[in-house]
Amino acid sequence: MTATRWLAEYAWLPERAEPTPDVLIETADGRITGVTPLAGDDAPAAGVEVMADAVRLPGLTLPGLANAHSHAFHRALRGRTHGGRGDFWTWRDRMYAVATRLDPDSYLALARAVYAEMALAGITCVGEFHYLHHNPDGTPYADPNAMGEALVEAAAHAGIRITLLDTCYLTATVDGQPLAGPQRRFGDGDALRWAQRADAFTPTDDHARVGAAIHSVRAVPAGQLATVVGWADRRGAPLHVHLSEQPAENDACRAAYGRTPARLLADHGALGPGTTAVHATHLTGSDLTLLGDSRTGVCLCPTTERDLADGIGPARRMADVGLPLSLGSDSHAVIDLFEEARAVELDERLRTRRRGHFSPAALRDAATVDGHAALGWRDAGRLAVGARADLVTVRLDSPRTAGVPPVGVWFAAGAADVTHVVVDGRTVVRDGRHLTVDVPAELASAIAEVNR
């Protein structure tokens, strides 16, 4: 049994409103085997010997963070699309241009660097919303899942877990216009052929799982939704879907089907506790009731939603009707779940002109345990016995965090303050450096290759 002891200066334990000082965390074979506060009222009566070889973690130690919504190739657009005018639809044209230039080798190089950047930010698990399935002309690779395999391999190199959300993408518009141009590589023809290809990919590595995604009501006709839902149900796999990201999507769905996207999904069995709706920015009151009654989760991606001028989702109303909230960095204009978490609160302040909508503990849960649950890893995201041994330590002496109480990290810290990351008991980041990937160099090289 491979065992390690970690002595956290502060650790944020489950169901605690604030971090606890001086916590001994013991791990073995990738699991947490002991969590013992050593100071104050929480200290054990008999005391616990702290061995000299315990690894000391100065700062605040959190559970691993979960990035529940990623499009890895969008990272190549950072800094290239932000200065001009336009909206989501004009940005999408630039994104498609990048999508046409990737193959399995270049995607492996890019995703490896992107996932390693996530590790540096304290992310121990990513949900990759994957639809770059085929050659740019739409013909399958010799291995029809070569692109998905590249993403799974990239996560292994970076040292993080992945849920590959294999995405069904069949049409260009809600009214069924066929895929054309760059979109041709996204499609499998119909949902049955999508399911057959998805069934053929079964990663055996412990760090990877496969889930399903309905790209959106634009991309999967109503009559084919049930096939994707059934695939996820049979596999016990998570199901994700872009939902009501832009008002134009809602308008087109009403025109084609006489109902909102949320109602369309509900009518075809696509909502439920195994489903996560991504964005859900432009919901009606009835939509919120549908999601709440079905216990559907929502993944918010505030840095992307503001970058693309999509709008601000009703996060507090979502939480009030019982929707579990998770977080994603989506287009990777920023990879920083501290920024995503505080934006949930701060954007709600802009909407309401009031403060205090989400507690620090609620933001922690969105970034950790609820994000992992949305990706099908329900044994991760908590510093508790039996949970996966994922530890993320944030320094409390940086220019951003100096003088900040540990409970304030969600409003002060950033990705650059992460010093130590452990995934399934294995150290991936130490002293702010990735142990196996030269992240800046590999990002620069991979992005230059894609954009040349």
Side-chain angles (χ1 to χ4, degrees):
M1 176 179 287
T2 303
T4 305
R5 286 179 148 205
W6 313 85
L7 182 58
E9 181 181 7
Y10 292 92
W12 210 331
L13 306 181
E15 285 78 53
R16 301 289 180 95
E18 297 189 8
T20 300
D22 300 322
V23 177
L24 181 67
I25 302 171
E26 298 170 281
T27 67
D29 294 337
R31 297 281 173 171
I32 296 174
T33 57
V35 178
T36 308
L38 301 178
D41 295 338
D42 292 319
V48 172
E49 178 187 0
V50 180
M51 298 168 58
D53 63 355
V55 179
R56 297 184 179 271
L57 300 174
L60 171 62
T61 296
L62 300 164
L65 310 183
N67 187 350
H69 190 67
S70 162
H71 301 290
F73 75 98
H74 290 189
R75 175 63 177 83
L77 294 168
R78 185 185 295 179
R80 289 174 163 80
T81 64
H82 310 297
R85 302 175 69 86
D87 57 14
F88 168 85
W89 306 101
T90 53
W91 169 87
R92 191 177 71 163
D93 293 337
R94 297 288 301 275
M95 179 266 285
Y96 283 168
V98 170
T100 62
R101 294 194 286 268
L102 287 163
D103 59 29
D105 290 337
S106 60
Y107 207 7
L108 170 60
L110 177 59
R112 165 185 157 103
V114 174
Y115 295 156
E117 181 184 359
M118 291 185 193
L120 287 176
I123 292 164
T124 58
C125 186
V126 61
E128 183 62 37
F129 201 100
H130 167 55
Y131 52 83
L132 298 188
H133 299 307
H134 305 300
N135 280 291
D137 65 0
T139 59
Y141 290 101
D143 174 356
N145 287 298
M147 294 290 268
E149 289 174 356
L151 292 165
V152 168
E153 183 178 351
H157 290 180
I160 68 174
R161 292 189 302 277
I162 184 171
T163 297
L164 187 74
L165 297 161
D166 196 299
T167 303
C168 188
Y169 198 132
L170 305 174
T171 56
T173 59
V174 176
D175 61 3
Q177 292 297 309
L179 301 178
Q183 293 179 326
R184 288 180 297 176
R185 74 181 313 179
F186 307 162
D188 289 294
D190 58 39
L192 283 174
R193 279 178 280 183
W194 166 83
Q196 290 168 353
R197 182 187 50 73
D199 271 332
F201 185 41
T202 53
T204 57
D205 296 329
D206 290 341
H207 80 289
R209 294 177 179 174
V210 178
I214 295 164
H215 178 272
S216 60
V217 298
R218 299 194 311 273
V220 180
Q224 302 203 49
L225 292 170
T227 299
V228 185
V229 174
W231 186 94
D233 286 346
R234 286 193 302 276
R235 300 270 296 237
L239 174 66
H240 287 220
V241 55
H242 289 133
L243 176 64
S244 293
E245 186 174 359
Q246 303 87 25
E249 176 185 317
N250 289 358
D251 294 343
C253 191
R254 288 191 182 96
Y257 297 112
R259 67 201 80 178
T260 66
R263 169 54 70 183
L264 184 69
L265 293 173
D267 289 347
H268 290 83
L271 301 184
T275 298
T276 296
V278 182
H279 302 304
T281 306
H282 300 284
L283 300 178
T284 67
S286 296
D287 292 341
L288 273 170
T289 299
L290 283 173
L291 268 64
D293 288 348
S294 62
R295 302 294 294 172
T296 299
V298 171
C299 179
L300 302 171
C301 307
T303 66
T304 292
E305 289 150 8
R306 69 190 183 203
D307 179 50
L308 299 183
D310 283 342
I312 300 172
R316 185 62 257 170
R317 292 173 64 198
M318 292 173 182
D320 287 343
V321 298
L323 306 184
L325 302 181
S326 55
L327 302 172
S329 61
D330 193 1
S331 68
H332 311 313
V334 176
I335 295 179
D336 187 337
L337 285 200
F338 298 96
E339 177 64 22
E340 304 292 348
R342 63 175 155 263
V344 173
E345 166 66 24
L346 297 181
D347 285 357
E348 197 69 16
R349 294 181 185 185
L350 287 176
R351 178 213 306 286
T352 64
R353 289 176 290 175
R354 291 186 294 105
R355 299 169 54 134
H357 301 275
F358 292 91
S359 69
L363 300 179
R364 173 205 63 195
D365 288 348
T368 57
V369 64
D370 292 334
H372 280 99
L375 298 177
W377 302 87
R378 295 186 177 275
D379 55 352
R382 302 169 75 247
L383 298 180
V385 172
R388 289 178 176 269
D390 298 345
L391 313 178
V392 172
T393 300
V394 181
R395 60 186 296 188
L396 297 176
D397 60 354
S398 78
R400 292 160 295 278
T401 59
V404 175
V407 72
V409 294
W410 295 109
F411 292 93
D417 298 311
V418 173
T419 59
H420 208 97
V421 179
V422 175
V423 184
D424 286 330
R426 182 170 63 89
T427 299
V428 175
V429 172
R430 182 184 295 125
D431 297 329
R433 295 183 64 85
H434 199 286
L435 296 186
T436 59
V437 179
D438 184 340
V439 179
E442 292 199 20
L443 281 170
S445 174
I447 291 171
E449 177 68 21
V450 172
N451 284 300
R452 68 188 175 97

